């Protein structure tokens, strides 16, 4: 069944989607749609890629992009008991949806044993038999969750950011990547066993809706992105999003010129 594109930001309609910045791509129930033959790369992301790499390399320490100051990073690792028996990675996908630089998120299936119905980035645990690195983990998990006939071999990994502990103490490494081809509402059908929805929020919209809320776990205020009444980007996903948005994505797209700058 081919699915229509919906916007759920307030009372916005499809015609006003450029102002909403929040769009469903899939409800995770599958689709018979395929990537169109006219699949094309996004000029704004192509123009921003060199600057993304430059900023990432300039700010990285030992090849890792720091999300926080050393003191804040140390405090984050003290919020839970760390379990190093397993590691995990999430893919932070910079995409272009209807020409807008955006980040892609999923809503986890309500049937999952952990973090059910929460908004997150695609990701999962490192598997020794299939993964040679955490970058491999992030890409493999993203493909398994999102499905679809996307040219994953052309996804550009920019690098990894600081690992953070999940609420269960598992170290989670964010892997920053560019998905160079324009995506549509039918690009990723989603695996209903793992995700209920796949959606994008434009970078400009994320900047507009960002707020702060006191976190019981972190004992301080952390970012929250109320994308819609029933969609809140919070917790570790929001904690990862804010520094990457402000220190990497926004500066790179702004400096890229052209459509990227105009949309920010």
């Amino acid at each position: 069944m081919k699915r229509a594109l919906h916007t759920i930001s307030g009372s916005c309609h499809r015609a006003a989607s450029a102002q909403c910045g929040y769009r469903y791509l899939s409800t995770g129930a599958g689709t018979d749609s395929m990537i169109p033959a006219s699949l094309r790369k996004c000029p704004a992301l192509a123009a921003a890629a060199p600057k993304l790499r430059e900023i990432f390399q300039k700010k990285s320490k030992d090849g890792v992009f720091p999300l926080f100051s050393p003191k804040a990073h140390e405090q984050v690792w003290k919020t839970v008991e760390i379990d190093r028996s397993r590691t995990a990675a999430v893919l932070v996908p910079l995409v272009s949806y209807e020409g807008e630089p955006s980040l892609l998120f999923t809503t986890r299936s309500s049937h999952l044993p952990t973090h059910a119905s929460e908004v997150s980035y695609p990701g999962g645990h490192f598997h020794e038999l299939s993964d040679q690195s955490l970058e491999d983990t992030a890409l493999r998990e993203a493909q398994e969750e999102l499905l679809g006939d996307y040219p994953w071999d052309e996804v550009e990994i920019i690098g990894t950011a600081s690992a953070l502990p999940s609420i269960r103490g598992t170290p989670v490494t964010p892997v920053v990547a560019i998905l160079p081809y324009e995506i549509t509402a039918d690009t990723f059908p989603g695996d209903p066993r793992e995700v209920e929805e796949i959606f994008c929020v434009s970078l400009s919209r994320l900047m507009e809706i960002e707020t702060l809320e006191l976190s019981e776990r972190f004992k301080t205020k952390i970012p929250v992105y109320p994308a819609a009444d029933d969609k809140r980007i919070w917790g570790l996903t929001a904690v990862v999003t804010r520094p990457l948005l402000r220190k990497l994505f926004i500066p790179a797209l702004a400096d890229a010129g052209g459509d990227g700058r105009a949309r920010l």
Side-chain angles (χ1 to χ4, degrees), residues 210 212 222-223 225 237-247:
E210 180 185 294
L212 297 174
I222 64 171
Y225 299 90
T237 301
V239 169
V240 169
T241 298
R242 189 176 196 263
L244 289 177
L245 183 67
R246 291 173 172 268
K247 298 178 182 179

Side-chain angles (χ1 to χ4, degrees), residues 4 34-35 46 57 61 79 93 95 101 105 108 115 122 188 202 231 241:
M34 300 294 290
I35 298 287
Q57 293 170 3
K61 296 180 179 179
T79 60
V95 304
F105 300 91
R108 291 168 56 84
H115 307 293
F188 299 120
S202 68
K231 287 290 175 293
T241 298

Side-chain angles (χ1 to χ4, degrees), residues 1-3 30-34 189:
M1 178 175 65
K2 187 173 182 178
R3 298 187 175 276
T31 175
D32 58 6
S33 300
M34 300 294 290

